[in-house]
């Protein structure tokens, strides 16, 4: 990035005492040692960043930044257009500035579409939080990064899709490297990035750090759950570490000529299976999503879009006859056909393949592979006003599937 243009002196006066970005976890060390220790094992005793900032929820007029610190803090972002005035942002909830937390989420609003912004994040330690006396410690600041907001009414869109990483953090930079320098707008994670949720440390080491090492401080990612993200003791805390459009686990958005619908397909077994011990209710959740799905399929944004793409983890065909597959087929399947989606992108089976339209699904289903070497894939989706094209690359760089649709 162009660091010269990020005027360091602009920060003097705003920040009383700062130190250089410190990561409690070396990115390289964490990539070399995929681990799943609990949060308690984190060797973070100093006031340091546990992750660099990672970008979420991109929109033409906003961008959300998240990061994690070892200590409870008050955090803010300082940002500017190139050559523009420096601005500061923090989050206010119900009249109170968000503070005294380690997980930080700040949405920058009223941004200009298609514009590059340079930013740093800051976290000031809160040493004690008494009812009538709050004591601050030192402030740490990140390196400068930059991002570009999506253009308003863009003609094109380009994204990279990964799925079924299954706690293999090295796969994220390795698959991203397959893209080379080909421009893209954002990354989409289509579920089963983890085996099951053990704690914050796992999220940091196995997803956030590999993402920020590869791209995520300057390009945003979106993330929907697979069946494995609903398992483990930290599954209920996982959503707090990400911020999707509309803040939920399923959402829709238009980028360029494509309307995307992302669904959360839930667990693969019956809700009353003993391994869930009575603590899940995905049938009701999928039915609720189906009602929402039909409102999306009837929406102007969907009807107007040149291309209509659904992304979800469990394909409702070509993934056996487990309950999750069959229930998705029952509640979502008829809607996909009735409203004529163009394409579905899935994971789950660990066997990459392009399944052409056939009886049952009147559109192709592209399934990305993983998680073992030789079975992993990077899916590249691009669309302009005339053509949508998808290429699926295996981890040796060879194309193992493609799809094209012309208007
Ligand atoms: Fe999987």
């Amino acid at each position: 990035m162009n660091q010269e243009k990020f005027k360091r002196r602009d920060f003097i006066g705003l920040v009383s005492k700062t130190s250089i970005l410190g990561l409690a976890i070396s990115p390289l060390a964490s990539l070399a040692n995929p681990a799943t220790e609990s949060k308690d094992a984190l060797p973070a005793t100093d006031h340091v960043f546990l992750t660099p900032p990672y970008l979420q929820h991109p929109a033409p007029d906003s961008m959300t930044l998240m990061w994690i610190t070892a200590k409870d803090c008050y955090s803010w972002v300082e940002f500017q257009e190139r050559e523009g005035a420096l601005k500061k942002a923090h989050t206010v909830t119900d009249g109170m500035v968000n503070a005294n937390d380690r997980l930080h989420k700040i949405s920058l609003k009223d941004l200009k579409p298609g514009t590059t912004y340079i930013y740093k994040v800051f976290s000031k330690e809160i040493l004690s939080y008494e009812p009538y006396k709050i004591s601050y410690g030192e402030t740490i600041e990140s390196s400068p990064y930059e991002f570009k907001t999506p253009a308003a009414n863009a003609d094109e869109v380009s994204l990279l899709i990964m799925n079924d990483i299954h706690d293999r953090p090295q796969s994220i930079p390795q698959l991203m490297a397959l893209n080379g320098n080909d421009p893209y707008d954002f990354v989409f994670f289509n579920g089963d990035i983890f085996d099951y949720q053990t704690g914050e440390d796992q999220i940091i080491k196995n997803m956030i750090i590999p993402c920020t090492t590869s791209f995520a401080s300057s390009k945003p990612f979106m993330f929907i759950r697979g069946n494995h993200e609903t398992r483990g003791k930290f599954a209920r805390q996982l959503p707090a570490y990400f911020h999707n459009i509309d803040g939920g686990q399923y959402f829709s958005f238009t980028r360029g000529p494509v309307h995307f619908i992302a669904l959360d397909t839930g667990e693969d077994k019956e809700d009353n299976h003993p391994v869930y011990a009575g603590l899940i209710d995905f049938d009701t959740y999928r039915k609720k999503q189906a009602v929402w799905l039909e409102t999306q399929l009837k929406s102007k944004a969907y009807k107007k879009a040149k291309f209509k793409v659904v992304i979800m983890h469990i394909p409702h065909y070509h993934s056996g006859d487990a309950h999750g597959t069959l229930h998705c087929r029952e509640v979502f399947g008829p809607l996909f056909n009735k409203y004529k989606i163009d394409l579905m992108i899935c994971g789950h089976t660990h066997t990459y393949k392009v399944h052409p339209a056939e009886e049952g699904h009147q559109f192709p289903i592209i399934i990305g592979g993983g998680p073992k070497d030789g079975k992993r894939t990077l899916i590249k989706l691009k669309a302009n006003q005339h053509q949508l094209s998808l290429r699926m690359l295996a981890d040796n760089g060879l194309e193992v599937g493609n799809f094209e649709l012309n208007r």
Side-chain angles (χ1 to χ4, degrees):
M1 73 164 293
N2 190 343
Q3 297 191 14
E4 295 78 36
K5 292 191 176 176
F6 195 77
K7 295 172 188 163
R8 190 180 174 86
R9 65 177 178 278
D10 289 339
F11 292 98
I12 297 169
L14 283 169
V15 182
S16 58
K17 189 172 184 185
T18 59
S19 63
I20 305 296
L21 168 70
L23 284 174
I25 304 163
S26 152
L28 293 177
S30 63
L31 291 178
N33 299 300
T36 52
E37 303 101 304
S38 73
K39 176 183 173 183
D40 296 333
L42 211 66
T45 52
D46 297 331
H47 174 39
V48 291
F49 291 107
L50 298 182
T51 72
Y54 52 102
L55 303 179
Q56 306 277 284
H57 195 331
D61 62 351
S62 72
M63 187 70 78
T64 297
L65 294 79
M66 295 188 74
W67 69 98
I68 306 167
T69 51
K71 302 285 190 183
D72 288 336
C73 294
Y74 157 59
S75 287
W76 69 95
V77 180
E78 293 178 5
F79 64 105
Q80 63 187 150
E81 287 176 58
R82 287 179 178 150
E83 316 297 343
L86 188 72
K87 296 177 180 171
K88 176 180 171 179
H90 56 203
T91 304
V92 180
T93 304
D94 301 332
M96 296 196 294
V97 174
N98 285 16
N100 208 25
D101 203 351
R102 298 192 304 102
L103 177 59
H104 312 289
K105 178 165 73 177
I106 296 177
S107 295
L108 307 182
K109 307 280 190 194
D110 301 321
L111 301 180
K112 292 181 186 167
T115 302
T116 296
Y117 287 88
I118 303 163
Y119 74 94
K120 283 184 180 183
V121 302
F122 295 79
S123 290
K124 178 153 48 167
E125 185 180 1
I126 294 180
L127 294 173
S128 72
Y129 201 113
E130 300 299 324
Y132 302 101
K133 188 178 181 196
I134 293 164
S135 304
Y136 288 118
E138 293 196 359
T139 298
I140 53 175
E141 68 179 70
S142 75
S143 299
Y145 301 99
E146 66 180 35
F147 65 80
K148 190 173 182 184
T149 49
N153 307 313
D155 285 338
E156 302 178 342
V157 66
S158 169
L159 60 148
L160 304 173
I161 302 160
M162 288 178 272
N163 57 276
D164 292 278
I165 300 292
H166 283 284
D167 279 321
R168 288 162 172 80
Q170 67 278 13
S171 287
I172 293 173
Q174 287 170 358
L175 292 173
M176 286 298 295
L178 299 174
N179 185 58
N181 293 322
D182 199 8
Y184 65 94
D185 299 322
F186 62 96
V187 171
F188 199 104
F189 286 101
N190 195 4
D192 282 9
I193 307 310
F194 305 96
D195 287 334
Y196 50 88
Q197 304 311 135
T198 60
E200 180 185 88
D201 188 35
Q202 174 199 29
I203 298 170
I204 292 172
K205 286 182 174 174
N206 290 1
M207 186 168 185
I208 305 301
I209 294 291
C211 282
T212 52
T213 302
S214 312
F215 67 90
S217 297
S218 55
K219 295 276 180 138
F221 70 83
M222 302 183 202
F223 174 38
I224 53 172
R225 300 187 300 190
N227 48 309
H228 282 262
E229 272 94 15
T230 66
R231 300 174 188 171
K233 64 185 180 185
F234 209 65
R236 284 155 187 79
Q237 286 73 40
L238 178 75
Y241 289 80
F242 306 95
H243 186 65
N244 285 322
I245 290 162
D246 298 333
Q249 301 303 305
Y250 53 90
F251 49 93
S252 67
F253 59 100
T254 299
R255 283 287 178 279
V258 184
H259 189 72
F260 293 92
I261 298 176
L263 294 171
D264 181 356
T265 47
E267 265 294 0
D268 57 354
K269 292 180 262 300
E270 291 85 354
D271 288 342
N272 62 3
H273 194 286
V275 294
Y276 307 136
L279 294 180
I280 64 167
D281 185 6
F282 280 112
D283 279 2
T284 306
Y285 179 64
R286 279 185 291 254
K287 285 179 198 161
K288 185 178 154 202
Q289 278 185 81
V291 172
W292 172 85
L293 172 62
E294 187 153 24
T295 65
Q296 300 307 301
L297 296 168
K298 285 178 170 173
S299 70
K300 269 187 195 157
Y302 179 83
K303 287 179 187 160
K304 235 173 73 178
K306 287 214 161 121
F307 304 104
K308 303 147 200 292
V309 175
V310 169
I311 306 182
M312 61 188 210
H313 182 71
I314 299 178
H316 65 315
Y317 283 89
H318 312 294
S319 61
D321 58 359
H323 175 74
T325 299
L326 299 182
H327 197 238
C328 286
R329 191 180 301 173
E330 179 191 329
V331 300
F332 301 145
L335 296 173
F336 297 146
N337 287 337
K338 179 179 175 185
Y339 293 94
K340 298 185 186 331
I341 70 166
D342 291 315
L343 175 66
M344 174 174 286
I345 300 170
C346 300
H348 188 58
T349 65
H350 298 185
T351 302
Y352 57 73
K353 193 159 182 181
V354 175
H355 297 273
E358 60 175 51
E359 194 180 346
H361 60 90
Q362 298 159 8
F363 47 86
I365 298 177
I366 315 288
I367 299 180
K372 293 181 179 165
D373 289 8
K375 299 192 77 179
R376 302 170 299 168
T377 53
L378 179 74
I379 294 174
K380 301 177 59 162
L381 181 67
K382 290 174 188 273
N384 59 32
Q385 294 297 317
H386 311 292
Q387 185 184 66
L388 176 146
S389 74
L390 178 147
R391 294 179 67 218
M392 182 156 58
L393 304 179
D395 49 17
N396 60 5
L398 294 179
E399 185 176 302
V400 291
N402 63 65
F403 172 73
E404 242 178 47
L405 187 59
N406 294 294
R407 291 286 187 241

